[in-house]
């Protein structure tokens, strides 16, 4: 574990963590083909992992509703109207759909890198990233639509239970592994995850923590800025002063998972958040801040007083 005050990354390393994925690839292309392919595969994996995570979240929410309310309950959250509207909003193409599960798209780019055709590799990467972006946004909206239907059918308490259930089956299973890793490894992983979420980030280091400032979150932040909580998609806004909103509603439906998956359940298990995520207030679009304490167990209470209401 890092000593308090010990700096772990140079300014150059922090700048590299903050740059967009395309810049990562351009930088890697100046080195060996093997290293450039490894960098591309890492970027590709980050995009796909985020998209796959949306699908897992939807599946576990459907499982929760089926277990609780049976087939009739599942039918209650089965509307596809928002998904259709999201597809139109984000311009999803047939090529996006057919290519989503075709590994040869990424293999083709890896081949171009290995052959030294960097111009073609970057052009193909741009096309692939744009396709992932459209798929990401539609899948993200599908999650928010399912959560909206749960909330509108059964209220905030059941929504909280559903998020807790889904989190325990998915993301929260990774928590023990994550907090046990060195801080410099964690920040690289979390920065890569945010890049896979199509977010612009800046990574800084303090004596005790790494701070990832997300200038516009790729999920609820862009949903808000894209008008998904208005006439465009009419996703739900949780208005109640409820634990889902840290007692300070309203909040976009997607954002409510932060309180459950990153505060309430981790604090029940470890005594501290995982990690400290400060989202914008109300229906603001951003920015947000992720603070990764170098010693997670030593996360100071004042860092999350905004969540507990004690500050």
């Amino acid at each position: 574990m890092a000593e308090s005050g010990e700096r772990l990354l140079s300014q150059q390393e922090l700048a590299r963590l903050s740059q967009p994925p395309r810049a990562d690839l351009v930088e890697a292309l100046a080195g060996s083909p093997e290293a450039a392919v490894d960098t591309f595969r890492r970027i590709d994996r980050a995009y796909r992992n985020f998209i796959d995570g949306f699908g897992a979240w939807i599946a576990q929410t459907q499982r929760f509703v089926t277990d609780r309310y049976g087939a009739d309950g599942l039918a209650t959250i089965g509307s596809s109207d928002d998904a259709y509207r999201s597809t139109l909003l984000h311009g999803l193409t047939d090529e996006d759909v057919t290519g989503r599960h075709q590994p040869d798209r990424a293999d083709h780019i890896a081949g171009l890198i290995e052959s030294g055709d960097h111009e073609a590799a970057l052009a193909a990467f741009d096309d692939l990233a744009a396709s992932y972006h459209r798929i990401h946004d539609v899948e993200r909206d599908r999650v928010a639509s399912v959560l909206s239907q749960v909330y509108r059918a059964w209220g905030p308490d059941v929504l909280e239970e559903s998020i807790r259930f889904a989190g325990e089956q998915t993301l929260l299973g990774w928590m023990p592994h994550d907090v046990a890793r060195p801080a410099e490894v964690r920040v690289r992983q979390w920065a890569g995850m945010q890049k896979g979420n199509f977010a612009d980030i800046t990574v800084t280091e303090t004596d005790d923590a790494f701070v990832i400032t997300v200038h516009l979150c790729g999920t609820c932040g862009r949903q808000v800025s894209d008008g998904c909580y208005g006439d465009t998609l009419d996703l739900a806004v949780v208005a109640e002063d409820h634990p889902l909103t840290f007692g300070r509603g309203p909040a976009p439906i997607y954002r409510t998972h932060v309180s459950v998956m990153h505060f309430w359940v981790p604090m029940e298990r470890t005594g501290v958040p995982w990690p400290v995520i400060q989202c914008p207030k109300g229906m603001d679009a951003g920015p947000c801040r992720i603070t990764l304490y170098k010693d997670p167990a030593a996360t100071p209470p004042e860092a999350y007083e905004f969540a507990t209401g004690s500050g």
Side-chain angles (χ1 to χ4, degrees), residues 244-267:
L244 285 170
T245 65
F246 298 115
R248 298 190 303 272
I253 192 81
Y254 189 96
R255 190 175 293 164
T256 59
H257 84 281
V258 172
S259 62
V260 180
M261 294 189 192
H262 294 289
F263 284 85
W264 309 137
V265 175
M267 289 171 69

mmCIF file of all heavy atoms in Angstrom, residues 244-267:
data_model
loop_
_atom_site.group_PDB
_atom_site.id
_atom_site.type_symbol
_atom_site.label_atom_id
_atom_site.label_comp_id
_atom_site.label_asym_id
_atom_site.label_seq_id
_atom_site.Cartn_x
_atom_site.Cartn_y
_atom_site.Cartn_z
ATOM 1 N N LEU A 244 -31.909 6.652 -3.014
ATOM 2 C CA LEU A 244 -31.464 6.594 -4.401
ATOM 3 C C LEU A 244 -30.901 7.924 -4.880
ATOM 4 O O LEU A 244 -30.028 7.965 -5.754
ATOM 5 C CB LEU A 244 -32.629 6.200 -5.317
ATOM 6 C CG LEU A 244 -33.070 4.741 -5.308
ATOM 7 C CD1 LEU A 244 -34.366 4.597 -6.082
ATOM 8 C CD2 LEU A 244 -31.997 3.845 -5.911
ATOM 9 N N THR A 245 -31.424 9.015 -4.327
ATOM 10 C CA THR A 245 -30.995 10.352 -4.739
ATOM 11 C C THR A 245 -30.192 11.033 -3.633
ATOM 12 O O THR A 245 -30.034 12.253 -3.650
ATOM 13 C CB THR A 245 -32.210 11.220 -5.106
ATOM 14 O OG1 THR A 245 -33.005 11.440 -3.931
ATOM 15 C CG2 THR A 245 -33.064 10.560 -6.171
ATOM 16 N N PHE A 246 -29.694 10.251 -2.674
ATOM 17 C CA PHE A 246 -29.006 10.779 -1.498
ATOM 18 C C PHE A 246 -29.894 11.759 -0.737
ATOM 19 O O PHE A 246 -29.410 12.690 -0.090
ATOM 20 C CB PHE A 246 -27.687 11.469 -1.880
ATOM 21 C CG PHE A 246 -26.683 10.545 -2.523
ATOM 22 C CD1 PHE A 246 -26.285 10.737 -3.843
ATOM 23 C CD2 PHE A 246 -26.145 9.485 -1.817
ATOM 24 C CE1 PHE A 246 -25.361 9.886 -4.434
ATOM 25 C CE2 PHE A 246 -25.214 8.633 -2.397
ATOM 26 C CZ PHE A 246 -24.830 8.833 -3.714
ATOM 27 N N GLY A 247 -31.216 11.521 -0.830
ATOM 28 C CA GLY A 247 -32.157 12.379 -0.134
ATOM 29 C C GLY A 247 -32.314 13.753 -0.748
ATOM 30 O O GLY A 247 -32.858 14.655 -0.116
ATOM 31 N N ARG A 248 -31.860 13.897 -2.004
ATOM 32 C CA ARG A 248 -31.890 15.202 -2.644
ATOM 33 C C ARG A 248 -32.343 15.063 -4.095
ATOM 34 O O ARG A 248 -31.617 15.392 -5.024
ATOM 35 C CB ARG A 248 -30.508 15.870 -2.602
ATOM 36 C CG ARG A 248 -29.974 16.140 -1.200
ATOM 37 C CD ARG A 248 -28.731 17.022 -1.242
ATOM 38 N NE ARG A 248 -27.674 16.435 -2.074
ATOM 39 C CZ ARG A 248 -26.752 15.591 -1.631
ATOM 40 N NH1 ARG A 248 -26.778 15.198 -0.371
ATOM 41 N NH2 ARG A 248 -25.815 15.136 -2.431
ATOM 42 N N GLY A 249 -33.583 14.549 -4.262
ATOM 43 C CA GLY A 249 -34.097 14.461 -5.619
ATOM 44 C C GLY A 249 -34.314 15.841 -6.203
ATOM 45 O O GLY A 249 -34.345 16.828 -5.456
ATOM 46 N N PRO A 250 -34.476 15.951 -7.523
ATOM 47 C CA PRO A 250 -34.596 14.877 -8.504
ATOM 48 C C PRO A 250 -33.232 14.392 -9.008
ATOM 49 O O PRO A 250 -32.209 15.047 -8.796
ATOM 50 C CB PRO A 250 -35.366 15.558 -9.638
ATOM 51 C CG PRO A 250 -34.877 16.977 -9.594
ATOM 52 C CD PRO A 250 -34.698 17.288 -8.134
ATOM 53 N N ALA A 251 -33.279 13.247 -9.708
ATOM 54 C CA ALA A 251 -32.079 12.696 -10.328
ATOM 55 C C ALA A 251 -32.476 11.880 -11.552
ATOM 56 O O ALA A 251 -33.537 11.255 -11.564
ATOM 57 C CB ALA A 251 -31.323 11.807 -9.342
ATOM 58 N N PRO A 252 -31.640 11.866 -12.586
ATOM 59 C CA PRO A 252 -31.904 10.995 -13.739
ATOM 60 C C PRO A 252 -31.924 9.543 -13.303
ATOM 61 O O PRO A 252 -31.142 9.138 -12.436
ATOM 62 C CB PRO A 252 -30.726 11.269 -14.674
ATOM 63 C CG PRO A 252 -30.087 12.523 -14.179
ATOM 64 C CD PRO A 252 -30.368 12.601 -12.719
ATOM 65 N N ILE A 253 -32.766 8.753 -13.894
ATOM 66 C CA ILE A 253 -32.934 7.356 -13.479
ATOM 67 C C ILE A 253 -31.619 6.585 -13.540
ATOM 68 O O ILE A 253 -31.310 5.796 -12.639
ATOM 69 C CB ILE A 253 -34.026 6.656 -14.324
ATOM 70 C CG1 ILE A 253 -34.417 5.309 -13.713
ATOM 71 C CG2 ILE A 253 -33.578 6.459 -15.768
ATOM 72 C CD1 ILE A 253 -35.385 5.403 -12.600
ATOM 73 N N TYR A 254 -30.826 6.802 -14.559
ATOM 74 C CA TYR A 254 -29.570 6.059 -14.676
ATOM 75 C C TYR A 254 -28.638 6.380 -13.516
ATOM 76 O O TYR A 254 -27.951 5.508 -12.992
ATOM 77 C CB TYR A 254 -28.883 6.355 -16.012
ATOM 78 C CG TYR A 254 -27.695 5.451 -16.262
ATOM 79 C CD1 TYR A 254 -27.826 4.301 -17.029
ATOM 80 C CD2 TYR A 254 -26.447 5.713 -15.701
ATOM 81 C CE1 TYR A 254 -26.753 3.448 -17.235
ATOM 82 C CE2 TYR A 254 -25.374 4.870 -15.892
ATOM 83 C CZ TYR A 254 -25.531 3.737 -16.662
ATOM 84 O OH TYR A 254 -24.465 2.883 -16.848
ATOM 85 N N ARG A 255 -28.614 7.621 -13.084
ATOM 86 C CA ARG A 255 -27.675 8.056 -12.054
ATOM 87 C C ARG A 255 -27.964 7.422 -10.693
ATOM 88 O O ARG A 255 -27.078 7.362 -9.831
ATOM 89 C CB ARG A 255 -27.710 9.585 -11.951
ATOM 90 C CG ARG A 255 -26.613 10.187 -11.102
ATOM 91 C CD ARG A 255 -26.662 11.712 -11.151
ATOM 92 N NE ARG A 255 -26.330 12.216 -12.475
ATOM 93 C CZ ARG A 255 -26.576 13.451 -12.905
ATOM 94 N NH1 ARG A 255 -27.189 14.308 -12.095
ATOM 95 N NH2 ARG A 255 -26.227 13.830 -14.115
ATOM 96 N N THR A 256 -29.175 6.916 -10.493
ATOM 97 C CA THR A 256 -29.520 6.369 -9.180
ATOM 98 C C THR A 256 -28.704 5.134 -8.811
ATOM 99 O O THR A 256 -28.608 4.786 -7.626
ATOM 100 C CB THR A 256 -31.020 6.028 -9.092
ATOM 101 O OG1 THR A 256 -31.351 5.065 -10.100
ATOM 102 C CG2 THR A 256 -31.874 7.276 -9.276
ATOM 103 N N HIS A 257 -28.094 4.467 -9.797
ATOM 104 C CA HIS A 257 -27.301 3.290 -9.455
ATOM 105 C C HIS A 257 -26.051 3.662 -8.665
ATOM 106 O O HIS A 257 -25.502 2.821 -7.935
ATOM 107 C CB HIS A 257 -26.899 2.517 -10.718
ATOM 108 C CG HIS A 257 -25.663 3.044 -11.386
ATOM 109 N ND1 HIS A 257 -25.669 4.160 -12.194
ATOM 110 C CD2 HIS A 257 -24.367 2.623 -11.346
ATOM 111 C CE1 HIS A 257 -24.446 4.392 -12.636
ATOM 112 N NE2 HIS A 257 -23.632 3.477 -12.136
ATOM 113 N N VAL A 258 -25.596 4.907 -8.789
ATOM 114 C CA VAL A 258 -24.375 5.315 -8.092
ATOM 115 C C VAL A 258 -24.553 5.185 -6.584
ATOM 116 O O VAL A 258 -23.669 4.693 -5.875
ATOM 117 C CB VAL A 258 -23.979 6.752 -8.493
ATOM 118 C CG1 VAL A 258 -22.828 7.257 -7.623
ATOM 119 C CG2 VAL A 258 -23.593 6.801 -9.967
ATOM 120 N N SER A 259 -25.700 5.618 -6.078
ATOM 121 C CA SER A 259 -25.923 5.551 -4.638
ATOM 122 C C SER A 259 -25.906 4.108 -4.139
ATOM 123 O O SER A 259 -25.354 3.817 -3.074
ATOM 124 C CB SER A 259 -27.249 6.223 -4.273
ATOM 125 O OG SER A 259 -28.345 5.562 -4.886
ATOM 126 N N VAL A 260 -26.479 3.198 -4.902
ATOM 127 C CA VAL A 260 -26.591 1.805 -4.461
ATOM 128 C C VAL A 260 -25.286 1.039 -4.674
ATOM 129 O O VAL A 260 -24.738 0.437 -3.742
ATOM 130 C CB VAL A 260 -27.740 1.098 -5.203
ATOM 131 C CG1 VAL A 260 -27.865 -0.355 -4.734
ATOM 132 C CG2 VAL A 260 -29.055 1.837 -4.992
ATOM 133 N N MET A 261 -24.778 1.064 -5.903
ATOM 134 C CA MET A 261 -23.624 0.234 -6.246
ATOM 135 C C MET A 261 -22.299 0.797 -5.749
ATOM 136 O O MET A 261 -21.339 0.044 -5.564
ATOM 137 C CB MET A 261 -23.554 0.027 -7.758
ATOM 138 C CG MET A 261 -24.698 -0.773 -8.340
ATOM 139 S SD MET A 261 -24.352 -1.169 -10.073
ATOM 140 C CE MET A 261 -25.958 -1.773 -10.623
ATOM 141 N N HIS A 262 -22.232 2.105 -5.550
ATOM 142 C CA HIS A 262 -20.952 2.703 -5.174
ATOM 143 C C HIS A 262 -20.931 3.293 -3.764
ATOM 144 O O HIS A 262 -19.852 3.638 -3.269
ATOM 145 C CB HIS A 262 -20.551 3.766 -6.197
ATOM 146 C CG HIS A 262 -20.268 3.196 -7.555
ATOM 147 N ND1 HIS A 262 -19.155 2.445 -7.820
ATOM 148 C CD2 HIS A 262 -20.990 3.235 -8.715
ATOM 149 C CE1 HIS A 262 -19.175 2.057 -9.084
ATOM 150 N NE2 HIS A 262 -20.277 2.515 -9.640
ATOM 151 N N PHE A 263 -22.095 3.377 -3.127
ATOM 152 C CA PHE A 263 -22.135 3.899 -1.761
ATOM 153 C C PHE A 263 -22.771 2.910 -0.793
ATOM 154 O O PHE A 263 -22.088 2.342 0.053
ATOM 155 C CB PHE A 263 -22.858 5.259 -1.716
ATOM 156 C CG PHE A 263 -22.011 6.377 -2.245
ATOM 157 C CD1 PHE A 263 -21.968 6.651 -3.606
ATOM 158 C CD2 PHE A 263 -21.239 7.142 -1.394
ATOM 159 C CE1 PHE A 263 -21.170 7.671 -4.108
ATOM 160 C CE2 PHE A 263 -20.441 8.176 -1.881
ATOM 161 C CZ PHE A 263 -20.411 8.433 -3.247
ATOM 162 N N TRP A 264 -24.088 2.681 -0.907
ATOM 163 C CA TRP A 264 -24.776 1.952 0.161
ATOM 164 C C TRP A 264 -24.271 0.526 0.314
ATOM 165 O O TRP A 264 -23.940 0.100 1.435
ATOM 166 C CB TRP A 264 -26.291 1.987 -0.057
ATOM 167 C CG TRP A 264 -26.831 3.361 -0.280
ATOM 168 C CD1 TRP A 264 -27.757 3.749 -1.205
ATOM 169 C CD2 TRP A 264 -26.506 4.570 0.435
ATOM 170 N NE1 TRP A 264 -28.013 5.098 -1.125
ATOM 171 C CE2 TRP A 264 -27.254 5.626 -0.117
ATOM 172 C CE3 TRP A 264 -25.637 4.863 1.492
ATOM 173 C CZ2 TRP A 264 -27.171 6.935 0.333
ATOM 174 C CZ3 TRP A 264 -25.544 6.174 1.947
ATOM 175 C CH2 TRP A 264 -26.306 7.186 1.370
ATOM 176 N N VAL A 265 -24.192 -0.243 -0.764
ATOM 177 C CA VAL A 265 -23.726 -1.628 -0.615
ATOM 178 C C VAL A 265 -22.245 -1.679 -0.224
ATOM 179 O O VAL A 265 -21.879 -2.397 0.722
ATOM 180 C CB VAL A 265 -23.998 -2.444 -1.891
ATOM 181 C CG1 VAL A 265 -23.394 -3.843 -1.763
ATOM 182 C CG2 VAL A 265 -25.501 -2.547 -2.161
ATOM 183 N N PRO A 266 -21.339 -0.942 -0.892
ATOM 184 C CA PRO A 266 -19.947 -0.967 -0.433
ATOM 185 C C PRO A 266 -19.769 -0.525 1.015
ATOM 186 O O PRO A 266 -18.954 -1.106 1.749
ATOM 187 C CB PRO A 266 -19.253 0.000 -1.401
ATOM 188 C CG PRO A 266 -20.070 -0.067 -2.644
ATOM 189 C CD PRO A 266 -21.484 -0.194 -2.162
ATOM 190 N N MET A 267 -20.522 0.493 1.442
ATOM 191 C CA MET A 267 -20.379 0.951 2.825
ATOM 192 C C MET A 267 -20.880 -0.095 3.809
ATOM 193 O O MET A 267 -20.335 -0.246 4.908
ATOM 194 C CB MET A 267 -21.098 2.285 3.001
ATOM 195 C CG MET A 267 -20.375 3.441 2.295
ATOM 196 S SD MET A 267 -21.317 4.986 2.246
ATOM 197 C CE MET A 267 -21.285 5.442 3.983
#
